């Protein structure tokens, strides 16, 4: 892996962000064409042969893709003062980025954090629309996108909690949000609730604290909001949630191939499916290829209702704007047509012409969600039973991995682990050293590529057995590579369990922790607080009422549980779920980063129950 030692953490974060803007598919690579554009933008006009030589040296496979490590190496080589300054200046000018001086001691030495005015404008308009009828947000919504209203509005945590629920409904129990007569303490609770809930839905929040949000640090606020918004936009761009996506199957392609595509790749394929039907050229991205608005015009025309479905009136798209000579004017005419479909969100005409990849991706995702214009194929020979959504356990594991910032992001638990790269990153999170020289990195060659992935998987199993001392009886690298559900989950669970116990051991000064120790601590804490609840194990049926969890939370933070909101005896299933939703949100509110779901408590799933009590134990030990 390329060394990042020459850069501060903040610089690496900024470089990763810059890399991410060009990495549209979110698959950990940018195209060499994008690199050349960036070099030109940095006033570094290399002759064509020189640019090709540079790229050839760095991308040994020569398939036109550059990883983040290679990007770091390039930047390092070019990081003379003049080039670096010119690079930043040009990129900022091109992207409409605002730079703000840092306030920490480190920052005051000259570090600047940048944020995009366009993103702020887009996110404010999206939030205004999402929360316009919410009485709890009347004190801040609508916000003015032209000012810094947004950065003040997130300070009490209410807007963030509401936006998390907008993206993933029911994540936060509304009863746990502090809404009236807010004090610094109740605001802190709201921000804890927002951050821990964001983490539970798969946002990477490792470097964001409640204080950062309270202070309204723009680059952190926008970074968190983008993750929350994107998770909501992408929620239904998945075959088990939207079977009509099978219409995008290409000739000779299996259903399995289609199911491996990321939401970004599915959106690109969806756009091209409609563009092909319109007799237009395909697009390769939602940045440089859409700048002239022509593809958007034809896409809008294809997906607009034609009046052939009952109760849905036809909307005719006026294509005359295509004749506009000026790109910005043409984009504005196109957006006026998008507005007639109720889909103008996220981009301005300038964002289209500049090819802002993030905002154009959001624009397309929102258009897809409202007007997919796809029909589930009737005659194709498709095994519909193979299209099953992920289980709760699988979703929890996936969200846990993504919250730790693994790269690339995990969209599909099994296919995205088939080269073990994410597993190696998780080993590092649990302090198991990985010899990266033994790891094959993408892009993999077309011939023999799967053998490279299999070698990685074999090494991942070897590390688990020999270094991590996991119980991996009967698990081979081939099982990970082929996505064997039971055996892959067995490894992931041991990774998550070790991660959870490591946190406890760090808090407890290195003392080893096991299930018995956690159960004993839970019971001692409950008894010391005068609570009647106890648990015999993580399989104890009393856990299905959530009362042991709620009592433990109240023991750790006395007076935090409002018992009058709960039913404590003779509970039916609905009342049990009601208690569990409250318990999970309250655990997050007092500062425990809980990934489990309410149903895990109701059904007493011992693995997830263990993580809940372990996280609460960590919180309780910190208070001692």
């Amino acid at each position: 892996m390329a060394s990042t030692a020459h850069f501060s953490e903040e610089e690496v974060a900024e470089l990763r962000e810059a890399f991410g803007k060009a990495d549209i598919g979110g698959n950990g690579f940018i195209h060499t064409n994008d690199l050349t554009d960036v070099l030109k933008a940095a006033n570094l006009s290399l002759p064509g042969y020189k640019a090709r030589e540079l790229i050839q040296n760095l991308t040994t496979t020569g398939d036109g893709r550059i990883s983040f490590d290679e990007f770091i190496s390039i930047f390092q080589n070019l990081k003379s003062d003049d080039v670096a300054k010119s690079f930043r200046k040009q990129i900022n000018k091109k992207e409409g980025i605002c730079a703000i001086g840092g306030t920490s001691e480190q920052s005051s030495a000259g570090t600047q954090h940048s944020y995009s005015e366009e993103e702020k404008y887009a996110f404010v308009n999206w939030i205004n629309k999402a929360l316009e009828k919410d009485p709890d947000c009347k004190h801040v919504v609508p916000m003015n996108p032209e000012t810094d209203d947004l950065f003040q509005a997130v300070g009490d945590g209410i807007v963030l909690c509401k936006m998390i629920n907008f993206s993933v409904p029911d994540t936060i129990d509304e009863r746990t949000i502090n809404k009236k007569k807010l004090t610094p303490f109740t605001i802190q609770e709201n921000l804890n609730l927002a951050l821990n809930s964001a983490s539970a839905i798969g946002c990477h929040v490792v470097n964001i604290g409640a204080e950062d949000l309270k202070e309204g640090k723009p680059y952190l606020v926008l970074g968190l909001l983008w993750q929350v918004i994107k998770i909501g936009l992408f929620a239904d761009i998945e075959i088990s949630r939207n079977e009509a996506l099978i219409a995008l199957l290409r000739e000779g392609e299996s259903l399995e191939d289609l199911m491996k595509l990321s939401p970004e790749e599915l959106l690109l394929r969806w756009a091209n499916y409609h563009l092909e039907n319109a007799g237009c050229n395909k697009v390769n991205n939602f940045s440089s290829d859409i700048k002239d608005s022509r593809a958007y015009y034809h896409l809008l025309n294809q997906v607009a209702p034609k009046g052939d479905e009952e109760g849905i009136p036809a909307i005719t798209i006026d294509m005359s704007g295509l004749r506009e000579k000026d790109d910005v004017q043409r984009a504005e005419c196109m957006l006026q047509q998008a507005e007639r479909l109720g889909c103008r969100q996220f981009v301005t005409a300038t964002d289209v012409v500049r090819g802002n990849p993030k905002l154009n991706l959001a624009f397309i995702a929102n258009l897809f969600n409202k007007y997919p214009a796809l029909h589930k194929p009737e005659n194709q020979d498709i095994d519909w039973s193979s299209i099953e959504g992920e289980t709760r356990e699988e979703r929890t594991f996936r969200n846990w991995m993504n919250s730790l910032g693994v790269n690339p992001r995990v969209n599909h638990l099994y296919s995205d682990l088939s080269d073990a790269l994410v597993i190696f990153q998780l080993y590092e999170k649990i302090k198991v050293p990985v010899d990266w020289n033994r790891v094959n990195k993408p892009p993999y060659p077309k011939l023999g590529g799967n053998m490279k992935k299999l070698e990685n998987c074999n090494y991942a199993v070897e590390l688990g057995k020999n270094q991590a001392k996991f119980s991996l009886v009967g698990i081979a690298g081939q099982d990970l590579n082929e996505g064997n559900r039971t055996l892959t989950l067995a490894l992931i669970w041991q990774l998550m369990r070790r991660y959870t116990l490591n946190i406890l051991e760090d808090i407890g000064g290195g003392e080893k922790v096991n299930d018995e120790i956690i159960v004993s601590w839970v019971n001692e804490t409950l008894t010391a607080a005068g609570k009647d609840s106890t648990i015999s194990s993580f399989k104890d049926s009393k856990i299905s009422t959530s009362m042991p969890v709620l009592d433990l939370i109240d023991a750790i933070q006395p007076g935090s549980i409002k018992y009058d909101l709960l039913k404590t005896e003779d509970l039916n299933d609905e009342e049990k779920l009601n208690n569990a939703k409250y318990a999970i949100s309250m655990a997050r509110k007092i500062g425990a980063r809980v990934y489990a779901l309410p149903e895990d408590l109701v059904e007493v799933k011992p693995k997830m129950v263990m993580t809940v009590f372990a996280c609460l134990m960590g919180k309780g030990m910190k208070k001692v």
Side-chain angles (χ1 to χ4, degrees):
M1 289 198 134
S3 168
T4 55
H6 300 272
F7 303 102
S8 70
E9 271 186 40
E10 288 168 346
E11 279 182 306
V12 172
E14 283 182 9
L15 285 171
R16 199 173 278 286
E17 192 179 336
F19 182 84
K21 283 180 180 173
D23 176 18
I24 310 299
N27 57 7
F29 299 95
I30 61 172
H31 200 274
T32 50
N33 294 349
D34 296 322
L35 177 69
T36 313
D37 288 343
V38 169
L39 292 177
K40 278 182 191 161
N43 286 340
L44 192 71
S45 295
L46 295 177
Y49 76 93
K50 268 283 187 200
R52 281 192 297 276
E53 196 178 289
L54 170 68
I55 290 158
Q56 193 62 44
N57 288 343
L58 285 157
T59 314
T60 49
T61 58
D63 79 338
R65 300 200 302 171
I66 293 172
S67 70
F68 181 66
D69 287 341
E70 291 165 337
F71 178 70
I72 285 271
S73 301
I74 296 168
F75 197 84
Q76 204 164 293
N77 292 339
L78 301 176
K79 203 190 169 196
S80 69
D81 280 348
D82 288 345
V83 171
K85 278 177 198 161
S86 167
F87 176 89
R88 288 256 164 87
K89 198 161 125 195
Q90 288 295 326
I91 290 295
N92 288 356
K93 197 164 83 184
K94 203 172 168 188
E95 295 288 344
I97 287 172
C98 289
I100 46 171
T103 50
S104 66
E105 281 179 38
Q106 232 182 346
S107 298
S108 58
T111 303
Q112 282 193 326
H113 288 294
S114 54
Y115 73 91
S116 157
E117 276 285 344
E118 288 91 343
E119 282 176 30
K120 180 188 79 175
Y121 191 89
F123 298 169
V124 165
N125 286 330
W126 183 248
I127 294 168
N128 282 344
K129 187 116 180 66
L131 305 180
E132 65 185 343
K133 292 182 179 142
D134 192 319
D136 299 325
C137 298
K138 279 203 165 84
H139 62 303
V140 287
V141 172
M143 296 172 271
N144 182 348
E146 304 287 354
T147 67
D148 285 345
D149 279 3
L150 172 65
F151 306 126
Q152 274 77 57
V154 297
D156 65 12
I158 296 175
V159 164
L160 282 171
C161 287
K162 297 284 187 173
M163 285 308 295
I164 288 166
N165 272 352
F166 183 75
S167 281
V168 185
D170 268 351
T171 299
I172 297 173
D173 187 323
E174 284 272 343
R175 295 172 293 176
T176 62
I177 305 172
N178 300 318
K179 298 170 182 175
K180 295 190 174 95
K181 295 179 183 168
L182 295 176
T183 65
F185 176 72
T186 56
I187 286 171
Q188 176 79 23
E189 285 187 321
N190 279 350
L191 293 167
N192 286 343
L193 177 59
L195 283 170
N196 288 325
S197 300
S199 187
I201 64 169
C203 295
H204 179 41
V205 299
V206 170
N207 298 317
I208 309 173
E211 281 305 312
D212 298 320
L213 299 176
K214 212 181 284 181
E215 290 168 24
K217 289 186 178 171
Y219 69 104
L220 291 176
V221 169
L222 292 175
L224 177 58
L225 278 173
W226 170 238
Q227 291 186 74
V228 171
I229 290 168
K230 188 175 171 188
I231 285 168
L233 286 172
F234 284 5
D236 289 333
I237 306 172
E238 206 263 307
I239 290 171
S240 67
R241 303 279 290 267
N242 192 337
E243 290 183 350
L245 282 163
I246 291 173
L248 305 181
L249 258 178
R250 289 178 181 158
E251 208 172 320
E253 189 175 49
S254 72
L255 185 57
E256 196 184 349
D257 294 330
L258 192 67
M259 289 174 77
K260 285 179 182 175
L261 297 182
S262 69
E264 290 94 335
E265 289 166 328
L266 278 171
L267 282 173
L268 194 57
R269 186 172 291 199
W270 169 75
N272 283 326
Y273 169 85
H274 285 303
L275 289 172
E276 252 180 280
N277 287 343
C280 300
N281 292 334
K282 287 185 176 184
V283 294
N284 296 310
N285 55 56
F286 297 125
S287 50
S288 57
D289 283 8
I290 51 82
K291 289 180 177 183
D292 63 5
S293 300
R294 294 181 192 284
Y296 279 171
Y297 252 117
H298 292 292
L299 182 56
L300 291 174
N301 194 39
Q302 286 294 114
V303 304
K306 304 292 184 279
D308 49 8
E309 285 184 54
E310 203 177 323
I312 303 173
I315 300 174
T316 306
I317 299 298
D318 178 359
M319 305 289 280
S320 61
L322 276 170
R323 294 196 289 272
E324 284 288 345
K325 296 278 190 289
D326 179 68
D327 281 352
V328 175
Q329 194 51 47
R330 191 183 315 112
E332 179 53 41
C333 292
M334 179 276 295
L335 287 174
Q336 285 168 16
Q337 298 308 306
E339 189 162 17
R340 297 180 59 223
L341 295 175
C343 293
R344 191 182 171 134
Q345 284 91 345
F346 292 112
V347 287
T348 62
T350 311
D351 297 329
V352 174
V353 174
R354 282 182 175 164
N356 182 312
K358 191 182 283 187
L359 298 182
N360 278 285
L361 180 66
F363 170 74
I364 282 287
N366 185 47
L367 181 63
F368 170 86
N369 287 329
K370 289 194 176 176
Y371 296 98
L374 294 174
H375 298 287
K376 184 174 162 182
E378 298 297 329
N379 307 324
Q380 286 191 25
D381 184 20
I382 288 166
D383 177 11
W384 296 101
S385 64
S386 67
I387 305 168
E388 50 183 322
E390 61 186 350
T391 64
R392 284 201 317 270
E393 185 183 33
E394 288 163 355
R395 185 163 86 242
T396 301
F397 286 148
R398 192 171 56 78
N399 286 341
W400 167 65
M401 293 173 189
N402 287 329
S403 76
L404 297 178
V406 295
N407 185 32
R409 186 176 177 83
V410 180
N411 295 302
H412 309 295
L413 193 60
Y414 304 105
S415 57
D416 290 356
L417 301 186
S418 65
D419 65 356
L421 280 189
V422 166
I423 292 171
F424 292 132
Q425 293 169 62
L426 295 173
Y427 276 132
E428 290 196 323
K429 302 283 183 195
I430 63 164
K431 303 171 190 168
V432 170
V434 175
D435 177 1
W436 286 98
N437 292 322
R438 283 192 60 183
V439 176
N440 300 313
K441 300 174 194 73
Y444 303 106
K446 279 189 178 168
L447 274 176
N450 201 52
M451 185 54 70
K452 299 280 184 196
K453 293 180 182 182
L454 185 56
E455 286 170 6
N456 284 355
C457 292
N458 289 334
Y459 178 40
V461 172
E462 180 191 317
L463 277 177
K465 287 177 177 171
N466 301 338
Q467 301 294 320
K469 307 293 184 209
F470 287 161
S471 169
L472 298 176
V473 180
I475 300 181
Q478 189 175 351
D479 298 311
L480 299 182
N481 179 248
E482 291 174 357
N484 178 303
R485 290 189 169 213
T486 307
L487 300 179
T488 303
L489 288 176
L491 171 60
I492 299 170
W493 161 241
Q494 291 181 75
L495 284 161
M496 187 180 190
R497 176 183 164 81
R498 179 70 57 83
Y499 177 81
T500 307
L501 295 179
N502 278 0
I503 292 171
L504 273 183
E505 287 162 13
D506 288 347
I507 294 167
E511 289 283 321
K512 287 287 169 202
V513 179
N514 58 30
D515 289 7
E516 290 72 30
I517 290 169
I518 298 170
V519 170
S520 296
W521 181 89
V522 168
N523 288 328
E524 285 161 18
T525 306
L526 287 167
T527 305
K531 304 288 185 186
D532 295 331
S533 299
T534 58
I535 59 167
S536 56
S537 71
F538 300 133
K539 295 177 181 173
D540 193 321
S541 62
K542 294 195 292 289
I543 293 165
S544 72
T545 67
S546 296
M547 290 316 297
V549 178
L550 290 158
D551 283 343
L552 184 60
I553 292 167
D554 202 64
I556 293 167
Q557 195 164 299
S560 59
I561 298 298
K562 297 185 177 74
Y563 285 95
D564 58 332
L565 297 175
L566 306 166
K567 186 161 181 208
T568 55
E569 288 172 11
D570 301 323
L571 284 73
N572 61 31
D573 288 348
E574 192 182 334
E575 288 160 343
K576 284 180 178 179
L577 188 60
N578 209 26
N579 281 4
K581 286 177 178 176
Y582 184 65
I584 295 291
S585 283
M586 282 306 301
R588 291 169 184 159
K589 182 176 176 178
I590 69 163
R593 187 149 289 174
V594 171
Y595 291 92
L597 296 165
E599 292 84 354
D600 297 324
L601 293 181
V602 175
E603 295 168 21
V604 196
K605 298 286 186 187
K607 290 176 182 174
M608 290 302 147
V609 166
M610 172 264 171
T611 64
V612 173
F613 283 116
C615 290
L616 285 169
M617 181 176 172
K619 180 63 190 167
M621 286 167 64
K622 273 185 186 170
K623 290 178 77 80
V624 176

